[in-house]
Amino acid sequence: MKGTGYNVAVVGATGAVGTQMLSMLEQRDFPVGTIKLLSSARSAGQTIQFNGAPVTVEEATPESFEGIDIALFSAGGSISKKLAPEAAKRGAIVIDNTSAFRMDPDVPLVVPEVNELDLQDHKGIIANPNCSTIQMVAALEPIRKELGLSKVIVSTYQAVSGAGVQAIDEMKSQSQAILNGEEPEANVLPVKGDKKYYQIAFNAVPQIDVFDTNGYTFEEMKMINETKKIMHMPSLKVSATCVRLPVETGHAESVYIEVEEKGKNTADIHRILSGAPGVTLQDNPDQQEYPMPSTAAGKTDVFVGRVRKDPDEDHGFHMWIVSDNLLKGAAWNSVQIAESLIKLKLV
């Protein structure tokens, strides 16, 4: 610890996740000594308020990280690949919110409620998992610990904010065009730079990221591979289908799991989830109470409901998992990792 706090840098400070990172640092009263806001040259020079004081955004360079203790990155994978090693070289601990280092065997991939102690093995860079993976493993880990886990099949219903501000703007403009009886323009989704674009307004698009040669998208493979790494279960059976919906904030997931213990019921899952850290159980079908993106937005917890035992498989359960993809799925998990580093005396 230096002086009265830790010297923190936020890379991508003007973006959607970077803005939320700053908000979470403020809300958590994180022990910040100095704050450095970094971005591309295009955004440099902007002024952002942090803890009531104006801070000028600077262009991110390798030299920006001199004297920095913790660097939160959310500026895209290419920036992370270029600058994260430079930051680590200068003594900063990098918490990276991109996919650049997630599957690197030397980089811990961490959800604090699940595998906080993996932070002890960091070599200067820590990866923040994919937003959809985070909320799923946070809900499944307490079940795995008590009942075992052998299989996971997930279908996601993901918000457009996961694709950035341009995707949000396009959803809104398309919606207005359709309501006006006009033809909507599509230039962003499903993937910026891919061969075709489709409207997201009043639609569901079963593609997030580009397709791999196996027919799965990169987003789906991220969920599969990251879940196995985070839970230290390389042989776990995992499959995913990822879909984009016209929802601004909050990812939802329909998850089917198979546990190892026999003879368990919905009440067992309810009991386990009721005491799980970072998880809120919302499951009262009689009163139509269940998680939704509209009620999860702005909250840091992972919400679970619609828990049912499979009618044909004794080991099988279904559930519905919802979380704010910009908070627990990104900014909050990153700040949580920073808090864990302090708690474990690793910074």
Side-chain angles (χ1 to χ4, degrees), residues 27 48 53 59 62 79 91 134 147 149-150 152 174 183 235 242 247 296 334:
Q27 289 180 41
I48 295 176
E59 181 181 359
I79 299 297
I134 289 174
L147 305 181
L149 188 64
S150 60
V152 179
Q174 288 175 353
E183 190 69 24
S235 62
C242 294
V247 171
S334 297

Side-chain angles (χ1 to χ4, degrees), residues 24 26 53 77 82 150 157 179 187 213 245 253 256 298 305 310 345:
M24 291 309 307
E26 289 180 327
K82 178 182 174 185
S150 60
Y157 306 78
L179 292 171
N187 301 296
T213 54
L245 290 190
E253 299 170 346
Y256 169 76
D310 189 86
K345 297 182 169 56

Side-chain angles (χ1 to χ4, degrees), residues 133-182:
T133 306
I134 289 174
Q135 66 187 66
M136 184 173 76
V137 298
L140 297 189
E141 173 63 8
I143 299 171
R144 183 203 67 80
K145 283 169 72 173
E146 185 163 334
L147 305 181
L149 188 64
S150 60
K151 189 174 192 176
V152 179
I153 300 175
V154 54
S155 295
T156 71
Y157 306 78
Q158 294 181 224
V160 293
S161 55
V165 175
Q166 282 184 316
I168 296 173
D169 292 343
E170 183 163 277
M171 178 186 70
K172 292 177 179 178
S173 64
Q174 288 175 353
S175 300
Q176 193 61 60
I178 292 168
L179 292 171
N180 291 342
E182 302 164 359

